[in-house]
Amino acid sequence: MISDTAIARLVYGSTLGNLLIEANQTGITLVAFTDELPTESTGENSTAREHLETAADQIDEYLTGERQQFTVSMDLTDMSAFDREVLRTLEATTGYGRTTTYGALTRQLGRTPADARKIGGALARNRLLILLPCHRVLGADGSLTGYAGGLPAKRALLDLESADLLLPLGG
C-alpha cells in the first residue's frame, strides 16, 4: 500500500536489508527498512517512478562506496518546519565520514541544551533514512544511540563511511 504522500513505491533489496522507497512527482517521500520482499516499482506516474529508480541507484552506489552525496530529489513537505530545519542542518554540517552529537547539533541550530530531546525527536521522525544522514548522530559520549534501521545498520553505515578515512596515505 502506498502512503498518502506518495504515488509510487519500490521495495529495494540493499546490502543492509530491504528498503521501502516511496515517491511522488516532486521526489522521494520515504526510505525505510522493511521486512517486505523486493519488488519492482509500482505506480502510474513516470516521474515518481524515475525518482524511485534514481534513489535506488544512488543508495546502491553509496553502499558500494562509489557515492558520498545524494542528489535525488526529496519531498520534505510532509515534515514539520522544525523537523526539516533539523534534518537539513544535519545534512549541511555533517558530511560523509563525519559524526556529530545531539548536543553539537543543538548548538548548530542555535537552540538551548533543553532542546536536545526535541532535536532527537526530529531525527527519530526522519522519513528519509540514509538519504538524510541521521545515522551520523551519536550520544554525547560517542556511543551509538537509537536508529530506525537498528543499531547494526547504523554501525554498518558509519563503518562504510569511515572505511575511506582509514586507508593509509603514501605510496
Side-chain angles (χ1 to χ4, degrees):
M1 179 177 186
I2 297 175
S3 71
D4 294 340
T5 60
I7 57 176
R9 80 188 304 265
L10 164 72
V11 177
Y12 167 68
S14 82
T15 57
L16 283 181
N18 294 339
L19 296 171
L20 172 59
I21 306 172
E22 293 184 347
N24 61 25
Q25 290 178 326
T26 304
I28 300 300
T29 59
L30 176 72
V31 176
F33 287 89
T34 183
D35 291 331
E36 293 181 53
L37 296 176
T39 62
E40 296 293 320
S41 60
T42 60
E44 296 184 21
N45 185 280
S46 62
T47 303
R49 285 196 326 271
E50 184 177 310
H51 291 311
L52 292 175
E53 298 301 326
T54 299
D57 289 345
Q58 289 188 8
I59 290 170
D60 189 51
E61 291 168 356
Y62 166 79
L63 293 173
T64 59
E66 299 171 39
R67 174 177 292 276
Q68 294 185 358
Q69 189 171 10
F70 295 100
T71 58
V72 64
S73 296
M74 297 178 238
D75 183 348
L76 309 181
T77 57
D78 67 328
M79 296 179 189
S80 73
F82 177 76
D83 289 2
R84 283 193 304 270
E85 177 187 16
V86 169
L87 291 167
R88 287 301 193 192
T89 299
L90 172 65
E91 179 184 38
T93 61
T94 311
Y96 185 93
R98 300 189 59 189
T99 58
T100 192
T101 64
Y102 294 95
L105 185 56
T106 301
R107 288 186 298 279
Q108 287 171 330
L109 287 159
R111 305 285 178 146
T112 67
D115 291 327
R117 285 196 183 276
K118 290 179 188 174
I119 289 164
L123 296 171
R125 290 185 294 275
N126 180 7
R127 295 180 44 86
L128 297 171
L129 296 181
I130 303 173
L131 300 181
L132 294 176
C134 59
H135 62 274
R136 295 179 185 150
V137 181
L138 305 174
D141 62 357
S143 63
L144 293 185
T145 55
Y147 182 65
L151 293 183
K154 183 172 186 166
R155 174 83 269 159
L157 291 168
L158 292 172
D159 288 348
L160 168 75
E161 292 186 10
S162 68
D164 290 341
L165 304 175
L166 299 176
L167 294 175
L169 298 176

